[in-house]
């Protein structure tokens, strides 16, 4: 079973979600607390709960999980810190920290990976990647639990006001902005 899909199957138990509100731009914005993210991380290690039908739909519909699996198959010790879906194509730009180096990858849904750049001077990204206890796949799973019809547009690990969090932008099936979700990464 693929890593990202296994995670979603393990954490489909109901979660307490906080902070949903509507912004002026018409997209929803929500935040998941670090306590909820910690529960999810703990559930990943010990739970065998079956996936909900909404989560199953998200797994089947969003190719981002295949992209994650492709990158982690190539870099098993890698930590994904950024995913950006290229509009109107099957390409994703993915940043993955491998050891003390950030690799910028171009990944296709057919499983092709091209390394665009290698950067060993990005200390902030490397430090943030090693500090995160919630993975990109876990954060995406939580976002899609809130918005099961959403499609991942971008995912970014970022420190904001001293708090490490995942910033996830979701589109609707027509490609319009649907929601911005922030999930605690530690």
């Amino acid at each position: 079973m693929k890593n990202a899909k296994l995670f979603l199957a393990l954490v489909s138990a109901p979660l307490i979600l906080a902070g949903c509100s509507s912004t002026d731009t018409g997209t929803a914005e929500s935040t998941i607390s670090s306590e909820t993210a910690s529960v999810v991380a703990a559930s990943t290690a010990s739970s065998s709960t079956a996936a909900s039908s909404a989560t199953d739909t998200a797994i089947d519909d969003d190719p981002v999980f295949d992209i994650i699996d492709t990158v982690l198959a190539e870099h098993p010790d890698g930590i994904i810190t950024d995913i950006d879906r290229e509009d109107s194509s099957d390409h994703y730009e993915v940043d993955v920290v491998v050891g003390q180096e950030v690799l910028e990858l171009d990944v296709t849904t057919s499983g092709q990976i091209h390394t665009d750049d290698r950067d060993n001077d990005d200390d902030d990204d490397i430090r943030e990647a090693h500090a995160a206890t919630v993975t990109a796949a876990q954060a995406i799973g939580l976002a899609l639990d809130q918005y099961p019809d959403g499609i991942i547009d971008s995912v970014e690990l970022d420190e904001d006001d001293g708090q490490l969090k995942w910033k996830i932008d979701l589109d609707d099936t027509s490609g319009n902005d649907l929601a911005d979700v922030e999930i605690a990464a530690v």
Side-chain angles (χ1 to χ4, degrees), residues 155-174:
V155 177
E156 178 185 12
L157 181 63
D158 190 36
E159 189 170 0
D160 191 19
D161 295 329
Q163 302 220 349
L164 192 58
K165 50 182 99 169
W166 290 101
K167 295 181 178 183
I168 301 173
D169 294 334
L170 295 158
D171 287 347
D172 63 18
T173 56
S174 299

Side-chain angles (χ1 to χ4, degrees), residues 70-86:
T70 298
V71 170
L72 294 179
E74 182 77 17
H75 303 284
D77 294 331
I79 303 167
I80 294 173
T81 60
D82 195 289
I83 302 171
D84 187 19
R85 180 176 49 89
E86 296 299 308

Side-chain angles (χ1 to χ4, degrees), residues 20-23 25-30 147 177-181:
C20 289
S21 66
S22 199
T23 64
T25 61
T27 61
E29 183 176 330
S30 61
Y147 299 95
D177 292 340
L178 175 66
D180 298 321
V181 180

Side-chain angles (χ1 to χ4, degrees), residues 106-117:
D106 182 37
V107 185
T108 67
T109 54
S110 63
Q112 297 175 336
I113 298 178
H114 173 74
T115 303
D116 289 334
D117 193 21

Side-chain angles (χ1 to χ4, degrees), residues 2-25:
K2 295 183 177 181
N3 294 336
K5 292 180 182 178
L6 175 60
F7 163 75
L8 286 175
L10 295 174
V11 298
S12 62
L15 298 172
I16 299 171
L17 305 174
C20 289
S21 66
S22 199
T23 64
D24 293 338
T25 61

Side-chain angles (χ1 to χ4, degrees), residues 13-52:
L15 298 172
I16 299 171
L17 305 174
C20 289
S21 66
S22 199
T23 64
D24 293 338
T25 61
T27 61
E29 183 176 330
S30 61
T31 304
I32 295 180
S33 69
S34 59
E35 292 83 12
T36 302
S38 296
V39 168
V40 170
S43 295
T44 302
S46 64
S47 177
S48 61
T49 305
S52 69

